[in-house]
Amino acid sequence: MIKWMDDYSVHNKTIDDQHKALFDIAKKAYLIAERHASISDIKLVLNELFEYVKTHFKDEEEHMEKIGYPDLAHHKKIHQEITLSLIALVKNIKTINDFKEKLNIITEKWLLEHILKEDMKYYKYQKQKFKEQQEATFEEDTSFEEVVPEFVIYICGCKGEKHKIPHHIHTKICKGSKYSCKVCKSVIRTA
């Protein structure tokens, strides 16, 4: 199962958080399939994925419009194709094995490939546009700097428990430090 990596970031907190949530929903679907849940349970998770994808695509398209991304029409077409494919997928799942095979398509083609290929295009466009603006004005503009969150949400083995970890501790964890929950003693991990 693929996991979110910082290399997938488009350096927009809202969009990155939504991408992370999509990976989490895909992971949830994978875990349900591994437990051999019913087809109806699987379809519920896929419906959740579908609803979240619709919200994400809308927000992403608004962002591209805001930055004046010239290939917005093509990107919208890709979003429509993914949406139609997801609808067909949800309707046509017959077995757990069929679902596992199609989940692989969702995570590797739609999520990962779309983020790394298509979404990186508008990030590169925005980055280039910002660079050109800087060169044109010779002014220092910090509006494009990455916003560092005060806290990062982590989870542990406690059911439903979430930990607000200060960013400086999060940085240490990213560099290999391990922190455990005081209650369940399991190592905390990003949500």
Side-chain angles (χ1 to χ4, degrees), residues 13-27:
K13 182 169 175 16
T14 300
I15 303 298
D16 283 345
D17 286 348
Q18 289 178 349
H19 283 158
K20 290 174 189 177
L22 288 168
F23 275 80
D24 288 344
I25 295 169
K27 180 181 177 182

Side-chain angles (χ1 to χ4, degrees), residues 64-158:
M64 288 185 282
E65 190 171 323
K66 185 175 131 185
I67 65 171
Y69 182 58
D71 206 18
L72 175 59
H74 176 70
H75 203 103
K76 281 184 174 182
K77 185 178 177 187
I78 292 169
H79 283 172
Q80 289 170 345
E81 290 169 1
I82 291 172
T83 301
L84 292 173
S85 296
L86 191 54
I87 291 168
L89 172 71
V90 171
K91 287 182 180 177
N92 296 320
I93 289 189
K94 305 289 185 238
T95 67
I96 299 292
N97 288 335
D98 182 35
F99 168 69
K100 286 181 182 179
E101 180 182 316
K102 289 178 180 175
L103 180 61
N104 191 39
I105 293 168
I106 293 171
T107 55
E108 289 185 15
K109 182 167 178 48
W110 298 347
L111 285 179
L112 191 57
E113 185 179 311
H114 182 74
I115 291 169
L116 291 176
K117 184 178 176 191
E118 296 302 326
D119 291 352
M120 283 301 156
K121 288 179 183 177
Y122 72 76
Y123 165 65
K124 289 175 183 173
Y125 167 79
Q126 184 177 9
K127 187 176 174 182
Q128 181 62 34
K129 185 176 172 182
F130 177 78
K131 183 180 175 186
E132 289 169 3
Q133 287 173 344
Q134 287 297 325
E135 291 170 356
T137 62
F138 297 104
E139 295 176 8
E140 186 172 327
D141 182 3
T142 59
S143 64
F144 196 68
E145 289 181 17
E146 186 175 351
V147 177
V148 177
E150 187 177 350
F151 296 99
V152 178
I153 303 299
Y154 275 72
I155 57 174
C156 63
C158 298

